[in-house]
Amino acid sequence: AQSVTQLDSQVPVFEEAPVELRCNYSSSVSVYLFWYVQYPNQGLQLLLKYLSGSTLVKGINGFEAEFNKSQTSFHLRKPSVHISDTAEYFCAVSPGSARQLTFGSGTQLTVLP
Amino acid sequence: EPEVTQTPSHQVTQMGQEVILRCVPISNHLYFYWYRQILGQKVEFLVSFYNNEISEKSEIFDDQFSVERPDGSNFTLKIRSTKLEDSAMYFCASSGLSGSSYNEQFFGPGTRLTVL
């Protein structure tokens, strides 16, 4: 079984500041890793995914994440946030052989003017 | 841009009643999923569906739940006899068979189910 831990439930940050949202996972098998974003009253939108290859993954809206196998982490970063980045961010994993996603509890990112 | 749609956006029902939540996946996708999120809790996997049968299901997906693809476009989740603890946001998702959509699940906006 897999599990995902998002250590920060809320992250307030000022506009144009950098941000890192933390995600750690545990699994007995190799996994695929994902970050989803949820804007108010909308569904989950994929930001980026790690399947294999380069451990630094770039996604939409200027976000990137780095897969660290030894630390079982997949932290999400953005060098300069905008007000429009205010949303809930979910880290998720799926076992390589199956498709079900296991989600973390989410991190609410609030960008302050 | 193609998207997953769900109806209704909000469903209110009495405990013990049957509800059907509807989803229209992206048209060329072949894998379909239901997830739910109880208020304040994690998004949880319920079931995945491929080739007209369930391919995976979680412990949550007991005999009260069923899924169906009644025609070429809809994918439904039925809860036979709703309980108070079924109150949650239910998300439908779909993914493709190959290419870039193979490992990406596209989510709908959700149906908020309230059981009174």
Side-chain angles (χ1 to χ4, degrees), chain A residues 100-101, chain B residues 21 32-37 43-49 54 56-62 65 67 77 79 86 88-91:
Chain A
Q100 58 176 289
L101 291 170
Chain B
L21 309 183
F32 314 113
Y33 313 83
W34 284 102
Y35 292 81
R36 77 172 186 191
Q37 184 179 30
V43 177
E44 301 172 291
F45 169 79
L46 292 178
V47 66
S48 61
F49 190 86
I54 291 173
E56 299 169 286
K57 62 181 181 178
S58 71
E59 292 176 352
I60 303 168
F61 194 86
D62 61 22
F65 292 90
V67 289
L77 174 69
I79 308 175
D86 293 327
M89 181 73 88
Y90 288 81
F91 293 105

Side-chain angles (χ1 to χ4, degrees), chain B residues 2 9 15 17 23 31 36-37 42 53 66 68 71 93:
Chain B
S9 57
M15 189 170 57
Q17 295 296 304
C23 167
Y31 284 90
R36 77 172 186 191
Q37 184 179 30
K42 297 183 180 185
E53 61 183 27
S66 62
E68 190 180 26
D71 53 42

Side-chain angles (χ1 to χ4, degrees), chain A residues 38-57:
Chain A
Q38 185 179 30
Y39 299 102
N41 300 315
Q42 295 187 28
L44 299 163
Q45 180 185 7
L46 183 70
L47 273 179
L48 48 79
K49 60 187 176 186
Y50 172 79
L51 305 180
S52 64
S54 172
T55 57
L56 184 62
V57 179

